Amino acid sequence: MTREIKIDPVTRIEGHAKITLHQNDDGAVSDARFHVTQFRGFEKFCEGRPFHEMPAITARICGICPVSHMLGSGKAGDELMAVRIPETAVALRRLLNYAQMVQSHALSFFHLSGPDLLLGMDAPAAERNVLGLAGEHPDLAKKGIRLRQFGQELIEKLAGKKIHAAWVVPGGVNKPMDAEVREKFLNEIPEAMAIAKEALDVFKSIHDNFEREIKSFGCFPSAFLGMVDSDGHLDHYDGYLRLIDADGHKIVEDFLPSDYDSVIGEAVEQWSYLKFPYYRKKGYPDGVYRVGPLARLNVCDSCGTPEADTELEEFRGLSEGRPVDSSFYYHYARLIEIVHGLERIQQILEWPDIVAKRVRARAEANALEGVGAIEAPRGTLLHHYGIDEDGLISYVNLIVATGHNNLAMNHGVKQVAQEFVKGDEIQDGMLNRVEAIIRAFDPCLSCSTHALGKMPINIELYDNKGEKIAEQSSGL
Amino acid sequence: MEKVKIGTIWLDACSGCHMSMLDMDERLLELSERIEMVYGPLVDYKTIPENVDVFLVSGSVSTDKEMDYVKKIRENTKIVASFGDCAVTGNLPSMRNPVGTRDILQEVYSQEGNPCSQLPGMSEDTPLPRLLKRARPVHEVIEVDQFIQGCPPHADLIHLIVSELLEGRTPRRGIRTMFG
Ligand code: SF4
C-alpha cells in the first residue's frame, strides 16, 4: 500500500499549486509531483485584437511581473512594425526592467522565502510569514519592504502605475522621463544598495545552516538557459539565448530568441495545467533545463558591472567554476542580481540622454510575425505573435519562465521529499521543506498557465545515438 | 484589544491585487498590530478557518474547487469583500467564457506528439480542479458585502477600506475608482 500525502495549496508562492507525495510501506517517498492547478486560457481572447493593445493586455497575465509581459509584448510589437526604436526608449525600457527585477527579487527573498531562511524551516506555521519575520527581525523586514518599494516606485514614476501600467508600446514608450524622477532615484540608490548588500551578508552568514537543504533542494546536474549580449555578458533585455550543459559547455551555438522553436519543445501531462518545455534534442523528459537567476549566472561570462562581478566570482567558487547545481542557490543568485540591477539603474540614470524627449517610433504593421524575448525575474520569457494584413492578432504563443523550470521543479520536489519526508509521523517542517524548494524557484504560476494558441507542432525522432530519424512539422 | 481576523485568497487572479496590498509597504506593518492574518497566499495555513471577521476575495470563480472555497468562506466570515475587478466583474478571466471549457482545453493541450493522451483536468480521477463552464464574479455565487474596485485597486484604497472596517464602519459599497 502506498500512502498519499497532499500539500494543498502550496503557500507563499505566486499562483496555484499542490504537491502530492507517495509514500511506501517502509515510510520512504517513492514518487512526488508538483501540480499546477490553475488554468486560464488567457491568450485565446487576444486573437482578433489589434497588436498594439497587447502590452497592456498581457501585463494582466501577472501581478508580480507585469513589466516583463509588457516588455516581451512590446518587443514582439517592434518586430511586427519592423522599426528601430529610439535609443532613449530602449534605455527607459531597460530601466523599467531592472526596477522590476529589484522589486520582484526583494519580494521573493524577504516576503516569500525570508521566513524559511531566517526563522527556520521548522518555525511554527503561524509565524512563517512576512509579519512573523517583522516580529523577529523588525529592522531587516522593514528594509526588505523598503527595497521592494524602491523598485515599485521607480516603476510607478516611469510608467504611471505600480501594477499594470500601459507605458510600453510597440515602437518604444509613450512618455519620456522627468528630470526630477532621475534625481530622486539617483539619490535613493545608495540606500537600496546597502540593503541589497546586507541581505547578501545575511544569506552568506546563514547559508551553513542549510547543508542538507543545499544538497537536496533540486541539486542535480542539468542544462541551463539564459540571455547574454553579443559579448557574453548577462543581459536582461536583449541578446542571444545561451544553453549550456551541466559542465558549463555550450550545447548549441548562442541563438536568436526567434529560433526558440527549433531548440525547445513542449510536452503535456494530464496531472498539471502547466506544460513541460524540454530541450528537443534530448527529448522528453530527459531534456530538462533550468532558467532564472541561477541559470543566468551560470550561463553568462560575467555580469558586466563591477560589484556584481565581485560577488559572481565568490558565487562561482561554490562549485569551482562549474555551473552551480543546487537550486537552493537561486536565493543567492537573486541577491547578486539585485546588486547588478541597482548598478545598471545607476548607469542608465547617469546617461545624459535618458531624459531626451524622443521615445517612440510610429509605424503600421510591416511584418506578419514577431518574437519578443526578455529575461523576466524568473527567467526567459517569449512572446510570439502572428497577425493578419490588418494588424489583428491571429496567433499567440507564450513560453514563460516558470514553464521552463517545470521539469526541474518536479525533480526538486522528489529529491527533497526523499531526503526529508520519512516515517509514519509527518511533521510540518518536513512538508514545509518540500514547499520551500518550490519557493527557491520562485515560480509564477498565473503566468505559466496562460500559454495558449495554435502551437506550431514539430515532431522529431532521434535514435539512441542522437541521430535524427524523422521530422514532421505543422503549424505556422 | 482582540485582533481582527482577516483572510485573503486569490481565485482565478493574476496576484496583482495582493501585490497592491503589499504596496501599502510599511503601513502593512502598522496594520498588523491590529489584525491577524488567518488565511492567504502569504501565510502558511492550508484550510479556511472559522470565525473570520473580514475576507478579501480576489479573482473570479473559475473551478469547482474555487466554488467550494467561496462557499466555505461565506459560511465562516462576517464581511466578505470582492477584492479587485476580477472578483467584482469577472474582468479578464471571464473573457474565456465564449470559447467553452472543452474547446479551450482541447485547443491548448491536444497536440500530436504529446506523451499524454488525456487532457489535463478532464479525466475521472484528475488531481486537478475542474473548470466551471464560465468564470464568474464572486457575487454571482455567494452574497458579497463589500466591493473594492480597480485592476488592481490602489494601495491607498485598500488601506482606506481595511482601516474603516477595523473601526467597525462599513464604507459605502463600491467606492468608485478609475478603470485599470
Ligand atoms: S483585478 Fe486586475 S490586478 Fe486584480 S487579479 Fe484581476 S487582473 Fe489581476
Side-chain angles (χ1 to χ4, degrees):
Chain A
M1 268 295 288
T2 57
R3 173 158 82 134
E4 190 175 84
I5 302 167
K6 284 200 186 98
I7 305 175
D8 184 16
V10 180
T11 44
R12 285 185 285 128
I13 60 164
E14 197 287 334
H16 298 264
K18 69 176 188 184
I19 291 169
T20 50
L21 308 176
H22 288 173
Q23 203 184 25
N24 288 339
D25 275 345
D26 57 8
V29 168
S30 58
D31 202 4
R33 277 175 179 176
F34 172 65
H35 311 264
V36 175
T37 54
Q38 185 180 22
F39 171 85
R40 301 177 76 194
F42 197 93
E43 288 79 354
K44 177 67 186 164
F45 62 76
C46 294
E47 283 176 18
R49 302 196 80 110
F51 73 93
H52 51 78
E53 285 183 358
M54 292 298 278
I57 295 178
T58 56
R60 283 174 173 76
I61 289 174
C62 172
I64 296 184
C65 51
V67 164
S68 307
H69 288 287
M70 265 203 297
L71 288 171
S73 183
K75 287 182 74 186
D78 301 342
E79 298 274 304
L80 295 173
M81 286 162 46
V83 290
R84 215 175 67 223
I85 78 169
E87 242 182 306
T88 300
V90 173
L92 286 170
R93 285 179 175 187
R94 282 183 184 273
L95 184 60
L96 186 76
N97 200 31
Y98 289 124
Q100 176 186 245
M101 189 172 80
V102 169
Q103 72 83 9
S104 173
H105 284 358
L107 174 86
S108 170
F109 186 76
F110 291 98
H111 299 66
L112 303 179
S113 284
D116 295 329
L117 298 173
L118 298 162
L119 304 176
M121 299 281 172
D122 299 299
E127 281 161 32
R128 280 192 321 248
N129 56 61
V130 67
L131 298 177
L133 185 69
E136 199 70 22
H137 304 278
D139 183 55
L140 196 65
K142 268 191 198 147
K143 285 178 175 163
I145 288 173
R146 177 68 195 111
L147 187 59
R148 175 171 176 275
Q149 186 185 24
F150 170 88
Q152 286 289 77
E153 285 188 351
L154 181 50
I155 293 170
E156 184 177 35
K157 290 290 185 277
L158 287 172
K161 259 174 103 185
K162 285 179 175 166
I163 300 163
H164 304 335
W167 182 61
V168 176
V169 290
V173 297
N174 67 18
K175 201 170 123 305
M177 181 169 77
D178 289 338
E180 298 109 74
V181 175
R182 175 199 206 175
E183 281 317 303
K184 171 177 158 61
F185 288 95
L186 274 172
N187 289 335
E188 289 182 10
I189 286 175
E191 183 200 357
M193 186 60 105
I195 298 173
K197 290 203 177 146
E198 185 176 335
L200 262 171
D201 287 342
V202 168
F203 182 85
K204 289 177 200 168
S205 72
I206 55 171
H207 138 266
D208 286 345
N209 308 342
F210 292 98
E211 216 178 314
R212 259 179 93 192
E213 283 83 0
I214 290 167
K215 288 210 189 88
S216 61
F217 268 43
C219 184
F220 52 86
S222 81
F224 294 95
L225 176 80
M227 193 181 273
V228 291
D229 69 12
S230 48
D231 296 324
H233 296 314
L234 182 60
D235 199 317
H236 292 82
Y237 176 77
D238 202 26
Y240 298 88
L241 296 180
R242 178 176 285 180
L243 185 68
I244 61 166
D245 65 18
D247 293 319
H249 304 304
K250 285 189 204 175
I251 300 180
V252 289
E253 270 313 302
D254 295 353
F255 57 100
L256 285 169
S258 50
D259 293 331
Y260 76 92
D261 186 49
S262 62
V263 182
I264 296 164
E266 290 182 280
V268 176
E269 295 278 7
Q270 59 88 19
W271 46 267
S272 182
Y273 282 125
L274 178 53
K275 291 182 185 177
F276 295 79
Y278 58 95
Y279 169 48
R280 277 193 194 280
K281 189 127 191 215
K282 271 236 168 149
Y284 179 80
D286 293 341
V288 51
Y289 60 92
R290 283 176 271 184
V291 300
L294 180 73
R296 288 193 288 255
L297 294 193
N298 278 335
V299 305
C300 70
D301 296 340
S302 70
C303 295
T305 55
E307 308 247 11
D309 274 330
T310 309
E311 294 293 343
L312 181 65
E313 213 179 293
E314 193 179 337
F315 175 82
R316 289 192 167 162
L318 291 171
S319 59
E320 286 136 21
R322 281 185 59 260
V324 174
D325 269 345
S326 173
S327 302
F328 187 82
Y329 287 124
Y330 268 98
H331 296 302
Y332 191 179
R334 213 166 270 131
L335 295 172
I336 296 175
E337 279 201 332
I338 297 180
V339 169
H340 173 69
L342 291 168
E343 287 181 288
R344 287 286 191 221
I345 288 172
Q346 173 140 10
Q347 288 174 346
I348 295 172
L349 289 174
E350 282 170 351
W351 182 53
D353 282 352
I354 194 66
V355 286
K357 300 290 174 231
R358 224 180 75 74
V359 292
R360 182 171 186 177
R362 288 172 198 271
E364 297 292 312
N366 290 306
L368 294 182
E369 196 183 340
V371 174
I374 188 118
E375 283 293 328
R378 295 156 185 79
T380 314
L381 169 69
L382 292 151
H383 278 227
H384 182 181
Y385 305 152
I387 51 172
D388 65 16
E389 294 292 342
D390 299 321
L392 302 181
I393 294 279
S394 57
Y395 163 88
V396 176
N397 189 26
L398 308 179
I399 300 187
V400 302
T402 299
H404 298 288
N405 278 339
N406 200 4
L407 273 172
M409 286 191 288
N410 272 284
H411 270 278
V413 164
K414 186 166 171 183
Q415 191 181 36
V416 79
Q418 288 180 330
E419 171 72 19
F420 288 100
V421 183
K422 285 179 186 144
D424 286 344
E425 230 177 280
I426 302 299
Q427 270 137 23
D428 174 65
M430 297 177 176
L431 299 183
N432 186 40
R433 283 179 174 81
V434 181
E435 293 184 74
I437 166 69
I438 297 299
R439 291 179 200 126
F441 280 99
D442 187 26
C444 202
L445 304 176
S446 30
C447 282
S448 52
T449 47
H450 292 88
L452 166 56
K454 295 178 210 81
M455 308 266 176
I457 302 166
N458 194 17
I459 307 165
E460 294 172 9
L461 274 179
Y462 289 88
D463 67 17
N464 54 8
K465 291 187 210 76
E467 300 278 336
K468 198 189 294 181
I469 320 173
E471 180 171 356
Q472 192 181 16
S473 44
S474 64
L476 257 191
Chain B
M1 202 170 67
E2 206 171 312
K3 289 192 172 182
V4 176
K5 293 198 172 83
I6 295 198
T8 75
I9 191 168
W10 54 42
L11 308 171
D12 193 349
C14 81
S15 79
C17 292
H18 277 76
M19 290 307 117
S20 196
M21 188 169 86
L22 289 183
D23 284 333
M24 288 194 277
D25 298 320
E26 282 209 23
R27 286 178 290 174
L28 197 65
L29 297 182
E30 287 157 26
L31 281 180
S32 77
E33 317 216 320
R34 305 182 51 201
I35 62 175
E36 188 189 345
M37 287 284 235
V38 292
Y39 189 83
L42 303 167
V43 293
D44 278 0
Y45 300 104
K46 307 294 177 194
T47 48
I48 307 272
E50 293 183 1
N51 300 319
V52 185
D53 296 304
V54 179
F55 228 110
L56 305 180
V57 180
S58 122
S60 312
V61 184
S62 254
T63 65
D64 53 355
K65 181 142 186 209
E66 287 161 1
M67 184 71 101
D68 295 344
Y69 271 134
V70 286
K71 288 191 173 150
K72 188 90 193 251
I73 287 170
R74 181 66 277 180
E75 258 169 47
N76 293 4
T77 312
K78 286 200 205 91
I79 299 173
V80 175
S82 268
F83 177 30
D85 285 348
C86 291
V88 175
T89 69
N91 203 24
L92 295 169
S94 67
M95 290 167 116
R96 77 163 165 86
N97 293 350
V99 187
T101 311
R102 183 164 253 291
D103 285 358
I104 210 166
L105 287 171
Q106 202 111 38
E107 185 158 350
V108 182
Y109 296 110
S110 62
Q111 299 158 22
E112 281 175 70
N114 269 320
C116 131
S117 54
Q118 250 164 349
L119 297 175
M122 288 302 255
S123 66
E124 278 302 313
D125 56 346
T126 179
L128 301 171
R130 282 162 199 280
L131 296 185
L132 301 174
K133 276 212 180 66
R134 297 189 298 121
R136 304 164 79 179
V138 177
H139 65 271
E140 260 191 39
V141 179
I142 56 165
E143 188 164 347
V144 169
D145 309 297
Q146 187 71 47
F147 295 88
I148 313 176
Q149 287 170 293
C151 176
H154 197 279
D156 292 348
L157 180 69
I158 303 170
H159 187 251
L160 173 78
I161 290 185
V162 172
S163 307
E164 287 291 287
L165 292 173
L166 287 180
E167 292 300 329
R169 293 192 287 261
T170 334
R172 203 153 41 86
R173 279 168 50 133
I175 294 178
R176 279 225 56 90
T177 59
M178 234 171 51
F179 169 74

